[in-house]
Amino acid sequence: MNQDIVKLFDPLPPKSKLIIFGGGFSGQRIATLTRRLGVKVLCSRRNKESEGADFIFNTEKELPNEIFEGATHVLSCIPPLPNGQDPVLLKLKKQLLNSKNLKWVGYLSTTGVYGDTKGGWVNENTTPNPQQDRSKRRFSCEREWIETKLPIQILRLPGIYGPGRSAFESIFNGTTKMIDKPGQFFSRIHVDDIAGSVLFLINLYSQGKNPLVINVADNLPTNNLEVITYAAKIAKKPLPLTIPFEIAKKDMSPMALSFWQENRKVDNKLLCKKLGYSLIHPDFKSGIEDCFSKLTMDK
Ligand SMILES: NC(=O)c1ccc[n+]([C@@H]2O[C@H](COP(=O)([O-])OP(=O)(O)OC[C@H]3O[C@@H](n4cnc5c(N)ncnc54)[C@H](OP(=O)(O)O)[C@@H]3O)[C@@H](O)[C@H]2O)c1
């Protein structure tokens, strides 16, 4: 992580300890930024061989109380179980409620809870209307976290991208699909801005600025074609022909199809205007350029 990014954020109070449940793509990035600020961070994964596994958490085993000792902040990046239960609350609710030093608890949720708005904007006052089963499960987990009465904040995220998970992977391995669905928008967020928002919100929370639900999205919802075309131009790679959605959908998995069935733009004014978070990557162009620079650094 670029040292300039680290400098953008205020440190957490001394002796802070953050526990991250689910050190996957976002969890690892959040851990890296928080550690660079001098904070002790413990990250869970399901397998001890996985990168950055400080401890193992799955729904099969209990966790020793030592993990929670001195914990001041907790973040869950783990999606709901197929039966709709939240894995962390299922196994650890008691230990969380007994952790008397907790100042902030974050839950990474999704903007899928808003459902389809036919391209309309959604903000935190929009009544959730989850339509996909996975979004219904997610909304139910949000409520479960809120009902704990822990000092909770729900961060609703649209499509997450960043180095290693962007348009470039499919461009380079030749699997890009140029699907044209006029009027379709997707919102997105660069993983550095998830990490940045978490740090920013933790600090604001301690100052009493603590909205319960916050959308964490960039400024520019766009059609995916624009993003892929921009990435291919930077990488100087050819693209396949565009396929109309009505044809492409015949070969889509149910999961992929479900993403295209919803169309909404995610409003970030609460985070970026009212609370004052300054996006590191305000739109896909900045984010895609960052992903490309990391690709070229790896070569
Ligand atoms: N990807 C997106 O575009 C997107 C968009 C909106 C919201 N979200 C949500 O935002 C959160 C972070 O997203 P991400 O893409 O960074 O996630 P990710 O890379 O898939 O990481 C998810 C983490 O959760 C852990 N996990 C999953 N199921 C678990 C279980 N049953 N018990 C214990 N641990 C479990 C995984 O463990 P391992 O490390 O062992 O794999 C991983 O560390 C997730 O809840 C995701 O659903 C994602």
Side-chain angles (χ1 to χ4, degrees):
M1 181 173 278
N2 190 323
Q3 199 52 35
D4 291 346
I5 293 183
V6 181
K7 281 189 206 144
L8 298 173
F9 299 97
D10 294 330
L12 299 192
K15 300 206 176 139
S16 292
K17 174 178 165 184
L18 169 66
I19 304 178
I20 298 178
F21 291 102
F25 191 64
S26 308
Q28 288 300 324
R29 205 70 178 162
I30 296 161
T32 301
L33 178 60
T34 313
R35 286 190 181 115
R36 296 270 176 98
L37 291 168
V39 174
K40 182 174 169 85
V41 179
L42 293 182
C43 238
S44 84
R45 304 210 70 166
R46 284 171 290 185
N47 301 306
K48 63 175 185 308
E49 296 78 27
S50 299
E51 188 195 334
D54 298 311
F55 67 99
I56 303 307
F57 172 68
N58 55 41
T59 41
E60 282 145 35
K61 276 199 192 148
E62 304 303 317
L63 261 193
N65 284 331
E66 290 91 281
I67 298 283
F68 289 94
E69 264 169 28
T72 51
H73 301 80
V74 164
L75 176 70
S76 173
C77 309
I78 301 183
L81 293 168
N83 67 8
Q85 286 182 298
D86 183 274
V88 177
L89 291 178
L90 175 69
K91 295 303 285 183
L92 309 172
K93 193 167 167 182
K94 246 195 203 152
Q95 280 158 303
L96 284 167
L97 292 173
N98 285 337
S99 299
K100 298 298 173 208
N101 293 327
L102 286 183
K103 296 180 171 37
W104 180 89
V105 177
Y107 177 63
L108 297 191
S109 179
T110 95
T111 53
V113 298
Y114 293 115
D116 181 30
T117 57
K118 308 214 175 320
W121 287 93
V122 292
N123 65 29
E124 293 80 354
N125 294 323
T126 305
T127 305
N129 181 21
Q131 284 140 34
Q132 312 285 345
D133 285 346
R134 66 169 183 281
S135 307
K136 289 179 186 165
R137 293 193 285 271
R138 184 66 80 160
F139 189 50
S140 150
C141 288
E142 282 191 0
R143 278 175 301 182
E144 223 191 307
W145 276 101
I146 292 168
E147 280 160 17
T148 61
K149 304 265 187 289
L150 288 162
I152 181 83
Q153 241 175 3
I154 310 283
L155 280 64
R156 288 186 181 148
L157 312 172
I160 301 170
Y161 75 105
R165 203 198 266 183
S166 72
F168 292 112
E169 283 67 40
S170 59
I171 288 175
F172 280 101
N173 67 25
T175 56
T176 296
K177 289 208 173 83
M178 296 284 285
I179 300 169
D180 184 23
K181 189 166 181 242
Q184 173 78 37
F185 288 88
F186 291 105
S187 289
R188 51 188 69 71
I189 188 72
H190 188 291
V191 68
D192 282 351
D193 277 310
I194 301 178
S197 302
V198 165
L199 263 298
F200 177 80
L201 290 168
I202 286 177
N203 273 319
L204 276 194
Y205 203 94
S206 65
Q207 298 161 29
K209 293 182 193 165
N210 51 6
L212 185 58
V213 175
I214 298 125
N215 292 340
V216 179
D218 78 13
N219 292 335
L220 193 66
T222 44
N223 198 299
N224 264 4
L225 279 184
E226 270 189 71
V227 178
I228 299 168
T229 307
Y230 190 72
K233 199 173 150 199
I234 296 182
K236 298 194 176 64
K237 291 281 175 191
L239 282 173
L241 292 176
T242 299
I243 319 167
F245 173 73
E246 292 306 319
I247 294 176
K249 75 177 187 189
K250 292 176 190 155
D251 294 327
M252 272 184 197
S253 66
M255 179 65 135
L257 193 58
S258 70
F259 281 105
W260 286 87
Q261 276 164 344
E262 293 189 353
N263 188 7
R264 62 183 165 264
K265 299 186 194 119
V266 179
D267 180 302
N268 65 12
K269 282 195 210 70
L270 173 59
L271 177 69
C272 297
K273 294 260 156 52
K274 288 196 189 130
L275 298 176
Y277 178 72
S278 182
L279 287 160
I280 300 163
H281 299 293
D283 58 31
F284 72 87
K285 291 189 177 173
S286 160
I288 282 289
E289 285 161 22
D290 176 67
C291 296
F292 189 66
S293 71
K294 306 278 160 50
L295 273 178
T296 47
M297 269 163 48
D298 288 346
K299 276 183 187 157

